[in-house]
Amino acid sequence: MNIQFLDLKSINIAHETELKVAFDRVLNSGWYILGQEVKSFEQEFANYCETTHAIGVSNGLDALHLILRAYGIGEGDEVIVPSNTYIATWLAATYAGATPVPIEPCDATCNIDPARIEAAITPRTRAIIAVHLYGQPADMDAIMAIATKHGLKVIEDAAQAHGALYKGRKVGSLGHAAGFSFYPGKNLGALGDGGAVTTNDTCLAHKLHMLTNYGSQKKYVHEEQGFNCRLDEMQAAFLRVKLKYLDDETQRRCEIATKYSEGLKGCPVTLPFMPADVKSVWHLYVVRTHERQQLQSALAEIGIATMIHYPIAPHLQKAYSSLGYKKGDFSVAEIMQDQVISLPISPRMTDREVDFVIESIKNFFTK
Ligand SMILES: *Cc1c(COP(=O)(O)O)cnc(C)c1O
């Protein structure tokens, strides 16, 4: 058997007819930037996330970066971020000119540990970026309580968590604003780059519509020095098709995750832990083992692709050497960096493929 980590072609070909209709609609409209498709998608995605506003943007990083900008966060400000996230979360802060302040995750959930946040708050702290890592919502009630007490903005990094639920509420509606990515490999993926901000803050939504479009509301009138960070009509049209199937695809991801969790019980790996009040959308199925390298090689040999999310924590990246961190500074993130391995998961995986992965992992540990 040959099991890809994520077979994007099969995911998108499943919607071939509708995607081609969407393509023709945009082609024939003669209108390719900021038109009816983006407007409709923004409405549909806001409805999906249970927010009053969604603003289409160019990608997930720009979504997060522009939220910080729109809130006036920048030079001299500090933004609290998880120590074990994808680097984009940190880049959003540094793009805006702010300093990322890393906080370690809970060992069980891999999400930011609210109990460690308050000790890191200084007079310069302006915001917390809470990442819903691997598709599982962070502990938002605890984070919001701290933010309210200290007058901070809470920005959800929901790039991996479209449709996930926290105490029955959709991610994207839990903080002051949220950034989503529609990178092709995300649970809701475009056929190129794309992103969105969701919020119930009308003033912020207005500001973001301007910031993403050259700081302009009226053509050739510029209220501020904005950016060109728009979602385009073609991607919006594709995303409208794919949004209709997102819940079905998430359902399949959940079935696969359940199969993995039951099948791998008893193996000497740490399985993902789900708090009772959250519903993950299983962007990734991540286990931990001291024998990661050996396991990954053994699986590769029999045609099973796995990945590491992520092999180098942001504080140890050369890109952030200027922050002066060294090995040992964030030990929880470093243990995760050394032990995590993501198993293949995609809405198109068959039960036979999932069973083969489970059996292969069991074989590895019994030989
Ligand atoms: C993918 C991702 C982003 C960035 O999204 P892009 O669309 O690639 O810019 C941000 N944060 C997290 C956690 C991500 O996984």
Side-chain angles (χ1 to χ4, degrees):
M1 232 182 278
N2 186 29
I3 303 179
Q4 293 184 41
F5 185 74
L6 181 71
D7 183 357
L8 280 178
K9 181 174 168 183
S10 81
I11 286 173
N12 287 318
I13 284 293
H15 310 298
E16 182 175 6
T17 310
E18 281 189 81
L19 289 170
K20 284 181 172 165
V21 169
F23 173 87
D24 283 339
R25 197 170 63 230
V26 175
L27 177 66
N28 287 308
S29 76
W31 191 275
Y32 307 113
I33 294 288
L34 294 188
Q36 197 50 53
E37 297 293 336
V38 167
K39 213 175 235 152
S40 298
F41 175 69
E42 287 178 340
Q43 190 59 59
E44 289 156 13
F45 195 63
N47 289 344
Y48 182 80
C49 295
E50 299 168 358
T51 58
T52 47
H53 304 280
I55 302 97
V57 299
S58 36
N59 55 61
L61 170 57
D62 285 336
L64 296 168
H65 161 229
L66 292 175
I67 293 167
L68 292 172
R69 290 255 179 195
Y71 278 135
I73 296 169
E75 204 75 42
D77 295 329
E78 292 174 0
V79 175
I80 288 175
V81 295
S83 58
N84 64 324
T85 182
Y86 181 55
I87 197 168
T89 316
W90 288 43
L91 285 171
T94 49
Y95 265 35
T99 304
V101 175
I103 297 293
E104 293 270 54
C106 294
D107 182 68
T109 63
C110 300
N111 273 326
I112 194 166
D113 184 354
R116 299 182 196 239
I117 292 177
E118 263 190 312
I121 293 174
T122 74
R124 291 170 180 269
T125 310
R126 298 283 311 280
I128 302 168
I129 305 184
V131 182
H132 307 307
L133 198 68
Y134 308 148
Q136 178 184 147
D139 186 359
M140 291 300 292
D141 279 355
I143 294 165
M144 290 305 289
I146 295 163
T148 303
K149 184 171 156 196
H150 295 272
L152 309 177
K153 294 293 182 198
V154 175
I155 298 153
E156 296 171 74
D157 180 341
Q160 303 186 355
H162 320 70
L165 296 175
Y166 176 81
K167 300 186 179 174
R169 293 154 64 208
K170 283 268 172 72
V171 308
S173 71
L174 305 166
H176 296 100
F180 285 87
S181 166
F182 307 125
Y183 178 78
K186 303 292 162 107
N187 286 27
L188 177 59
L191 305 185
D193 275 314
V197 173
T198 55
T199 185
N200 290 319
D201 180 341
T202 300
C203 184
L204 181 79
H206 174 73
K207 209 148 188 205
L208 282 166
H209 272 128
M210 279 206 306
L211 271 185
T212 54
N213 189 31
Y214 290 112
S216 163
Q217 199 178 4
K218 190 161 172 261
K219 206 167 171 71
Y220 305 129
V221 180
H222 302 274
E223 294 176 40
E224 53 188 309
Q225 295 173 19
F227 300 84
N228 177 357
C229 290
R230 301 171 296 222
L231 180 67
D232 64 72
E233 287 284 286
M234 199 60 90
Q235 297 306 333
F238 295 149
L239 287 164
R240 292 181 68 198
V241 171
K242 294 194 68 184
L243 180 58
K244 292 191 292 175
Y245 301 100
L246 178 59
D247 283 344
D248 288 345
E249 295 187 347
T250 298
Q251 181 53 35
R252 180 60 190 151
R253 284 176 181 274
C254 292
E255 287 167 16
I256 294 166
T258 302
K259 257 174 107 53
Y260 274 146
S261 291
E262 310 220 313
L264 294 173
K265 249 183 226 154
C267 278
V269 295
T270 307
L271 299 175
F273 168 77
M274 281 305 121
D277 50 5
V278 309
K279 193 167 175 295
S280 174
V281 291
W282 297 103
H283 175 59
L284 296 169
Y285 189 93
V286 178
V287 303
R288 273 182 276 167
T289 165
H290 294 283
E291 297 175 74
R292 178 178 72 191
Q293 182 53 53
Q294 298 91 314
L295 176 63
Q296 186 167 43
S297 309
L299 293 177
E301 250 168 55
I302 50 175
I304 299 173
T306 56
M307 289 183 77
I308 311 299
H309 298 95
Y310 297 91
I312 307 172
H315 73 281
L316 299 176
Q317 296 281 1
K318 188 168 162 222
Y320 281 120
S321 57
S322 60
L323 294 176
Y325 293 120
K326 59 184 186 312
K327 213 167 165 67
D329 283 348
F330 298 97
S331 58
V332 185
E334 289 168 26
I335 289 170
M336 287 176 185
Q337 143 198 315
D338 292 339
Q339 297 185 359
V340 291
I341 175 167
S342 308
L343 306 183
I345 188 164
S346 113
R348 300 277 157 250
M349 252 182 114
T350 63
D351 281 352
R352 250 186 89 230
E353 291 174 321
V354 179
D355 288 335
F356 181 63
V357 176
I358 293 168
E359 287 315 309
S360 306
I361 294 173
K362 279 184 165 164
N363 285 343
F364 170 81
F365 283 110
T366 48
K367 76 174 182 311

